[in-house]
Amino acid sequence: MSDSVTAQRVSVLGLGAMGTALARALLAAGHEVTVWNRTAARAEALVAEGATAAATAGEALTAAELVILCVLDDAAVREHVEPARERLRGRVVVNLTTTTPEQARALGRWAEEGRIAWIDGGIMAVPSMIGGPGAFVLYSGVAAAFERLRPVLEVFGRAEFVGTDPGAAAMYDVSILGGMYAMFAAFRQGGAMVRTTGGSAARLAALMAPFLQAMTLSLTEQAVGIDTPERYVQEQSDEFTAAAIDLIDKAATESGTPTELFGVLRRVLTGL
Ligand code: FVH
């Protein structure tokens, strides 16, 4: 534990792959951790590492001022927090379960009515990255509670507060994931295309990765076009972009690979 961080009592509910990694990071940082999982056996390894197992979800929810939830989905969160609203009053609940922004907002409203400080989070990491340099977590909701507990939350990875709307973290989360899936779809398409010329997806990966990495630098510039379109001077015209996409579409047709991706790209990127 660093000198500036006081040991906190923290409860972690949900000990799947991610919840276990979160609890382990808290233990490693010297916090007093109570854990609970629906299937109790999953808590055993953490207990051997110093955690305390709660017998019920209700017990875990009231064992600490800071409660972290990392279960399957919104329904699983509600199943356990709804019966405990009175007992959660005055506590800080950080929900790291993936939900939609609207589900996060609804939980935020529910918590506010019960005087619970609710923070929603989106984990931008896989379990093995937790506590490492590449991990970051998006948070939104009650800012004062977040700032107070920031040193604890930073044990998971960089802590990025993105707004007081409880749905904000989930919205950034799904937007980032959307970017990832769009990239994967384009890579899959490209892999199929290069194979028709005797190439390989492995070679494409080696060539495409550094190029895409360089292209990500233009996202900040393109953000101006979305945030303040009136100030944006577009570097390439929509006609140029549409023609470039049409050419790729034609190459896909010639190679006998699917083309549906390119119609979507053309519409989204150029509106033409
Ligand atoms: N794993 C990842 O890479 C991603 C990274 C981004 C964020 N996600 C989200 O984190 C939530 C948990 O994910 P996980 O990886 O820990 O998931 P599992 O290993 O499948 O564990 C699921 C846990 O949820 C418990 N659970 C399911 N239903 C209920 C319920 N009705 N009541 C209480 N707990 C429930 C399950 O318990 P059990 O099956 O062991 O009894 C596990 O502890 C998730 O939102 C990801 O989207 C992870």
Side-chain angles (χ1 to χ4, degrees), residues 12-16 18-19 22 68-72 95-97 123:
V12 179
L13 286 88
L15 303 175
M18 185 52 86
L22 300 174
I68 294 176
L69 296 161
C70 190
V71 289
L72 185 66
N95 184 21
L96 297 178
T97 306
I123 303 174

Side-chain angles (χ1 to χ4, degrees), residues 17 20 23 26 64 83 94 101 133 139 166 171 176 188 190 202 205 215 242 246 262:
T20 297
L26 290 163
V94 178
Y139 296 96
M171 196 63 96
I176 293 170
R188 211 173 263 203
M215 287 300 101
D246 288 346
F262 303 108

Side-chain angles (χ1 to χ4, degrees), residues 13-20 36-40 42 69-77 79-80 96-99 122-127 173 177:
L13 286 88
L15 303 175
M18 185 52 86
T20 297
W36 176 82
N37 194 62
R38 183 180 59 176
T39 308
R42 272 182 133 166
L69 296 161
C70 190
V71 289
L72 185 66
D73 56 14
D74 182 66
V77 172
E79 182 183 329
H80 300 290
L96 297 178
T97 306
T98 305
T99 64
I123 303 174
M124 307 314 300
V126 294
D173 185 355
L177 293 179

